[in-house]
Structures are given as C-alpha cells and as structure tokens.
Amino acid sequence: MVPEVLRFGGHAVKTWFGRLSAPYKLTFSLTTKCNLRCSSCNIWKQETTHELTAAEIDTFFMRNPEIRWLDFTGGEIMLRGDLEDIIKSVKIRLPRLFQFHFPCNGTLPERTERAVRLAVSLSIPKVVVSISMDGPRDMHDTIRGKTGTWDSAVETYRRIRAISGVDVYFGMTLTHENVHHIEETLRDLQRMIPGLSLRDLHINVAHSTFYYGDPEIVLPDHLEIRHVLRSIQKSRGFPSNPVLLLEWLYQRRIPSYLMHGTSPIACQALSSSLFLMPDGSVFPCTSWDLPLANIREEEYDLHKLWNSARISRFVELIRKNECPGCWTPCEAYQSIIASLYRPRTWIPS
C-alpha cells in the first residue's frame, strides 16, 4: 500500500528529506461567493472583491508550473462564470499535475457535470470531486440553510459518478450536531443511490478559522468521536487505495487534535504547500490568519516569496508547533505523506 501512495505523487517523497524548493500542493479558494447559508461556515458573509481574473490565474499557473496537487475551493466555485477557462488553464499551464480536486455543495448539478466533463475531456490527471453532505435529508437542509439541497447533492453525485475517469464521494464534516448521524446519513443515501457504501462517505472534522469566517462551532468530545471513528474504520476495513489510506490515517489522529488543539503530525504548510485566497493573498494555510503577500505584487510568481527570509521565520514557527494548529484535510494529507516513514504515523492516537 505504501508504494501505491508514493506513486500517487512521487514528488511528495522529497518531503521526507526536508523543505521543498517550491510548493507542490496549492489550495486555492476561487471565490467567497456562496448560494447557501451554512451554520458551520461564514464564508458567505465575506465581501467578494478583487477576485483574480481567469487571465491572472492563467499567468499565475504559467509562472508556477511545479504545482502537482491542486485543490480548488470556495465559497462555491461553480458560481464563477469563468470556471471553464480556469480549468483549461490548469491543463495547459500545469504539466506536472498529478491530482486535481475540488469540493462543491451540489446545488448546481448541470454546471458541476459540465465542469467535470471538461476536466476529463482535457485529460487532466486524477480528477477528484467531493460533494458536501452534512447528514440525513432534513438535517442536511437545516445545516445548509436551504430546503432541497440534499436532493440536489444526490443528483450531482449521480451525474458525476456516471462520468468515467472521476473519483467522486460525499464529504461529511463532523460537528457536535451530526456526529451521531453517520449511519443514518448513509442509509438515506443508499435508498437513493444503490451500491453506495461507507467508503463513498469521506469524513472529517469541522474547524472554526479565519478562512471559514470564524463560525461558532461546537465540536464533538474527543472520546465521543474516538468511539464513532473506530466503529467506522472497523466497518470499512483496511483501506484499499491511496486516497482511502490517507483518510484512514487522518481519522486516526482526529481525537488527538480535539484533545490537544494542535497538529498531531508535523505540518507541511510553507514546506510543501500554500493557501491562496480569491484576491491573490497568500497564506501559510487555511487556519493561520497570516497574510504573507499578494501574488499581484509578486508578479504572479511564488518563487521569490517562497525562498525569502520572512517565510523561513514562519517555517520555523510551524516546525515548533507554534502556529494556530489544525487537522483539516487541506493541510493534513500532505503532512501525513511527509511522515509515512515514521512508525508513529501508523499508531492511532
């Protein structure tokens, strides 16, 4: 299984030996616009101004071709009218890309299908789509703040699953509100989607950070979630592919994060990854409200900033675990890959 994970992104193995000369993973928020009003997220309250244009994003990708792992996020990225132009830039400007992932809220099935079909037709490698799912029908709609969102999410999943060459799954973010409703959520989904299994429901834990607009979230108790996650992992069995393995290792550290509030594995922010906001502001990650620069001021080139003395200072703080600390998949997965050779990574917390 480990060799398969390494083939998942061979360049990531270099993170075993120290900080990279350029980030290989970029999490890029394309917009703060959102058509929902979720109780666990305040992104929709943020003002949408000065978003990078498709032409600027094209220039940015052209000047940073070493990006190998790209996560688009939002807001709801399907609300960008120029999304198809941006996807074309991904194909043209990022020749070393090995994974392209984006989440969506599932409220725009036709538009989402069109975007995914474009990515597949362009032969973009490893297209992965996650569709937000917060619980059984009524709970999901309540958390999302709009009736009918559960049904549209199911319709979006059906459409994407029918496209060959795409990995699609539901992403469930746990809070105190829905932590005990995983099985009920799965049963509701299985009634509508025959053949769906627990492995099609990827599970993470909520965070209240600047990126999400600092929503007031009540998280599950670490003992409570430990019991829930152990039951899930027992039902799933040992992971059968690299993506499931990363999730398996991620979930085994959630109780430790909830108990201590710090990253349970050495974080790779500013060592192999960066976070980019819609206006071009560069941050270490989605959790640390520390604007480092704006790519417009950097002529859309990350290299000088990445190798600056200022960045080095914050790299050292992260290594000492003196950052805010998090355990969100956006930051955790590349950190897990960088620690696969450490026996401690495989021991549950």
Side-chain angles (χ1 to χ4, degrees):
M1 178 64 70
V2 173
E4 291 181 28
V5 172
L6 302 186
R7 287 196 295 272
F8 173 70
H11 185 78
V13 179
K14 295 180 181 179
T15 61
W16 291 10
F17 307 103
R19 186 173 185 263
L20 300 181
S21 58
Y24 85 94
K25 183 186 178 189
L26 177 71
T27 302
F28 184 1
S29 177
L30 289 180
T31 184
T32 56
K33 295 176 184 176
C34 191
N35 54 352
L36 296 181
R37 300 293 181 262
C38 302
S39 59
S40 57
C41 174
N42 288 335
I43 286 179
W44 57 273
K45 293 182 179 180
Q46 299 178 32
E47 188 177 357
T48 302
T49 57
H50 307 298
E51 289 184 346
L52 295 169
T53 65
E56 287 181 300
I57 293 170
D58 182 71
T59 300
F60 171 72
F61 287 155
M62 178 179 65
R63 296 184 180 173
N64 301 277
E66 48 286 285
I67 295 170
R68 289 166 165 82
W69 184 349
L70 178 63
D71 274 15
F72 280 161
T73 187
E76 175 50 56
I77 70 170
M78 294 301 149
L79 295 178
R80 282 204 61 141
D82 55 3
L83 180 60
E84 292 185 5
D85 290 334
I86 294 171
I87 292 174
K88 290 175 184 176
S89 290
V90 170
K91 171 60 179 178
I92 295 168
R93 304 300 189 187
L94 302 179
R96 301 180 182 93
L97 196 70
F98 69 77
Q99 176 161 298
F100 174 47
H101 164 257
F102 64 84
C104 65
N105 60 28
T107 59
L108 300 166
E110 291 182 5
R111 194 174 302 181
T112 306
E113 180 184 1
R114 188 164 60 247
V116 174
R117 287 193 181 278
L118 174 61
V120 171
S121 71
L122 293 172
S123 298
I124 293 177
K126 191 68 177 177
V127 178
V128 182
V129 180
S130 55
I131 301 168
S132 299
M133 179 54 59
D134 291 327
R137 180 184 271 107
D138 291 344
M139 174 175 287
H140 176 84
D141 285 359
T142 298
I143 292 174
R144 293 273 144 179
K146 187 177 180 180
T147 302
T149 57
W150 191 92
D151 291 316
S152 61
V154 169
E155 174 63 18
T156 300
Y157 181 91
R158 283 171 167 164
R159 286 172 177 257
I160 305 307
R161 191 170 73 164
I163 302 173
S164 178
V166 179
D167 288 345
V168 58
Y169 58 86
F170 288 108
M172 187 171 183
T173 300
L174 298 183
T175 66
H176 181 72
E177 189 173 3
N178 65 2
V179 66
H180 293 297
H181 293 271
I182 297 171
E183 291 185 3
E184 185 183 353
T185 300
L186 181 62
R187 287 196 299 271
D188 264 16
L189 291 172
Q190 287 173 330
R191 293 188 188 102
M192 304 298 294
I193 308 171
L196 193 81
S197 75
L198 189 55
R199 294 191 174 199
D200 298 309
L201 187 63
H202 287 214
I203 294 165
N204 65 88
V205 65
H207 284 68
S208 179
T209 71
F210 83 96
Y211 164 59
Y212 294 106
D214 299 311
E216 294 182 6
I217 299 173
V218 179
L219 293 175
D221 175 79
H222 70 94
L223 294 176
E224 178 182 36
I225 205 168
R226 187 191 303 273
H227 174 74
V228 169
L229 291 177
R230 282 182 176 174
S231 176
I232 290 171
Q233 294 199 331
K234 182 179 179 180
S235 297
R236 282 181 168 180
F238 193 78
S240 58
N241 64 55
V243 174
L244 290 174
L245 176 62
L246 289 176
E247 186 192 13
W248 183 74
L249 291 170
Y250 162 79
Q251 288 179 354
R252 286 156 73 90
R253 294 286 166 193
I254 289 176
S256 174
Y257 166 71
L258 292 177
M259 184 165 53
H260 302 292
T262 58
S263 303
I265 289 178
C267 183
Q268 283 291 300
L270 296 185
S271 288
S272 68
S273 59
L274 277 177
F275 174 54
L276 186 64
M277 287 288 277
D279 67 352
S281 298
V282 179
F283 290 78
C285 62
T286 58
S287 295
W288 197 354
D289 190 3
L290 179 69
L292 300 168
N294 191 290
I295 60 168
R296 286 171 169 142
E297 299 166 356
E298 301 292 322
E299 298 181 334
Y300 306 98
D301 190 336
L302 288 172
H303 295 84
K304 184 177 178 180
L305 173 66
W306 182 262
N307 295 295
S308 66
R310 181 166 184 252
I311 291 289
S312 298
R313 181 161 60 93
F314 295 120
V315 170
E316 190 59 29
L317 290 177
I318 293 170
R319 284 176 177 166
K320 294 178 180 178
N321 226 354
E322 294 179 8
C323 59
C326 72
W327 196 236
T328 170
C330 291
E331 314 304 332
Y333 281 21
Q334 62 267 33
S335 300
I336 291 170
I337 290 174
S339 299
L340 282 174
Y341 70 96
R342 300 178 184 272
R344 180 176 175 273
T345 304
W346 301 84
I347 300 172
S349 61

